[in-house]
Amino acid sequence: MNRQQSLIETNLRWLEQARRLVERLDDRTYSTSPRGFEPHRAGGHMRHVLEFYDCFLNGLPSGYVDYDARRRDAHIETSCVEAAQRIDRVAGRLQSGELDGDDMGVMVRIEDADRMPVMGAWMPSSVSRELQVLASHTIHHFALIAMTLRAHGVEVDPAFGVAPATLSYAKGTNRKAAA
């Protein structure tokens, strides 16, 4: 398996975790902030993650990816059914083969470029690099989703939202402590 395919598989694993999670939730828990966690809502973070994937995939045909071009679709952040459907669409696109082939170069718009005193709003990247960015971005927001849901009293898999390197490190540390 090449690097790009491995990164696609990683992102598909995260999306499958998300799918399993939203299937267990009700819309109220998914779309509201627990007391003391305002404005964090599991649905808001999930929408944000899914729209990053959409921006990436939608930018590939032109070679220009703009993560600020999110639609901010309220349906995704308020409905578990809508979120599950979007997860399925994103996963389907990642599996469709539109990313097959060479690790092509893309241009990525600098986040919030209009406010930054930067010459040129675009910088070079690659499909593989952006797949890595998406994986890291997703794990980061999954950690926030997990904390938000736990504050709602929802049981969340302890590994949900934990980076693979952190899980590996913890496993190694536990083995050393047991020895």
Side-chain angles (χ1 to χ4, degrees):
M1 178 181 311
N2 67 30
R3 174 182 54 216
Q4 188 170 306
Q5 190 58 42
S6 178
L7 289 164
I8 290 169
E9 292 300 321
T10 297
N11 281 282
L12 288 170
R13 273 196 313 276
W14 300 160
L15 291 168
E16 178 56 31
Q17 284 183 358
R19 180 75 155 86
R20 285 193 311 268
L21 181 69
V22 297
E23 286 175 343
R24 295 181 34 233
L25 300 174
D26 61 76
D27 288 346
R28 183 185 171 287
T29 302
Y30 177 72
S31 65
T32 60
S33 299
R35 187 168 177 213
F37 279 74
E38 299 83 4
H40 295 283
R41 298 171 319 284
H45 287 289
M46 189 67 71
R47 176 204 46 80
H48 178 80
V49 163
L50 293 170
E51 288 184 345
F52 259 61
Y53 281 103
D54 284 339
C55 289
F56 168 69
L57 291 164
N58 293 340
L60 289 179
S62 69
Y64 287 83
V65 176
D66 181 355
Y67 294 113
D68 284 344
R70 297 184 308 278
R71 290 186 52 216
R72 293 168 173 83
D73 184 348
H75 293 101
I76 299 168
E77 65 181 83
T78 58
S79 167
C80 293
V81 169
E82 290 286 332
Q85 289 172 351
R86 182 63 63 91
I87 291 165
D88 290 345
R89 279 197 300 272
V90 168
R93 287 185 72 188
L94 286 173
Q95 292 171 318
S96 73
E98 66 184 280
L99 299 179
D100 288 349
D102 293 333
D103 187 14
M104 74 178 210
V106 293
M107 297 298 288
V108 178
R109 189 165 189 272
I110 295 171
E111 188 174 2
D112 203 21
D114 295 337
R115 293 186 196 246
M116 297 178 71
V118 184
M119 293 299 295
W122 299 90
M123 61 184 184
S125 188
S126 69
V127 169
S128 289
R129 178 65 190 127
E130 293 310 305
L131 286 166
Q132 177 60 48
V133 167
L134 287 167
S136 294
H137 179 258
T138 298
I139 284 294
H140 165 76
H141 281 278
F142 279 10
L144 295 168
I145 289 169
M147 289 178 15
T148 302
L149 290 174
R150 287 180 183 120
H152 268 305
V154 175
E155 186 175 322
V156 179
D157 183 325
F160 185 83
V162 180
T166 303
L167 292 172
S168 293
Y169 176 79
K171 229 185 249 185
T173 302
N174 288 340
R175 267 185 263 149
K176 288 177 189 172

